[in-house]
Short mmCIF file of all heavy atoms in Angstrom, two decimals:
data_model
loop_
_atom_site.label_atom_id
_atom_site.label_comp_id
_atom_site.label_asym_id
_atom_site.label_seq_id
_atom_site.Cartn_x
_atom_site.Cartn_y
_atom_site.Cartn_z
N SER A 21 25.41 -5.15 -9.50
CA SER A 21 24.73 -5.60 -8.30
C SER A 21 23.24 -5.60 -8.57
O SER A 21 22.66 -4.57 -8.87
CB SER A 21 25.07 -4.66 -7.14
OG SER A 21 24.31 -5.02 -6.02
N LEU A 47 5.58 -18.61 -13.81
CA LEU A 47 6.83 -18.85 -14.53
C LEU A 47 7.34 -20.26 -14.28
O LEU A 47 7.78 -20.95 -15.21
CB LEU A 47 7.89 -17.82 -14.12
CG LEU A 47 9.23 -17.90 -14.83
CD1 LEU A 47 9.06 -17.61 -16.31
CD2 LEU A 47 10.21 -16.91 -14.21
N SER A 56 8.61 -30.69 -19.56
CA SER A 56 7.85 -31.90 -19.22
C SER A 56 8.09 -32.34 -17.78
O SER A 56 8.10 -33.53 -17.47
CB SER A 56 8.17 -33.05 -20.18
OG SER A 56 7.79 -32.71 -21.49
N TYR A 84 -11.05 -3.50 6.46
CA TYR A 84 -11.15 -3.57 7.91
C TYR A 84 -10.16 -2.64 8.60
O TYR A 84 -10.47 -2.06 9.63
CB TYR A 84 -10.93 -5.01 8.39
CG TYR A 84 -12.02 -5.95 7.94
CD1 TYR A 84 -11.71 -7.19 7.41
CD2 TYR A 84 -13.36 -5.60 8.02
CE1 TYR A 84 -12.70 -8.05 6.99
CE2 TYR A 84 -14.36 -6.46 7.61
CZ TYR A 84 -14.02 -7.68 7.10
OH TYR A 84 -15.00 -8.53 6.69
N ARG A 85 -8.97 -2.48 8.03
CA ARG A 85 -7.99 -1.54 8.60
C ARG A 85 -8.54 -0.12 8.54
O ARG A 85 -8.39 0.65 9.49
CB ARG A 85 -6.66 -1.64 7.87
CG ARG A 85 -5.87 -2.89 8.19
CD ARG A 85 -4.47 -2.83 7.61
NE ARG A 85 -4.45 -2.85 6.17
CZ ARG A 85 -4.33 -3.95 5.43
NH1 ARG A 85 -4.26 -5.13 6.00
NH2 ARG A 85 -4.31 -3.87 4.12
N PRO A 112 -10.50 9.53 1.33
CA PRO A 112 -11.60 10.05 0.51
C PRO A 112 -12.94 9.91 1.22
O PRO A 112 -13.20 8.93 1.90
CB PRO A 112 -11.55 9.17 -0.74
CG PRO A 112 -10.17 8.63 -0.79
CD PRO A 112 -9.71 8.52 0.62
N GLY A 135 -31.96 16.98 13.01
CA GLY A 135 -33.37 17.12 12.70
C GLY A 135 -33.61 17.80 11.36
O GLY A 135 -34.74 17.97 10.96
N GLY A 150 -28.36 0.70 23.76
CA GLY A 150 -28.69 0.73 22.35
C GLY A 150 -28.86 2.11 21.78
O GLY A 150 -28.90 2.28 20.58
#
Side-chain angles (χ1 to χ4, degrees):
S21 174
L47 182 64
S56 297
Y84 294 134
R85 286 189 293 268

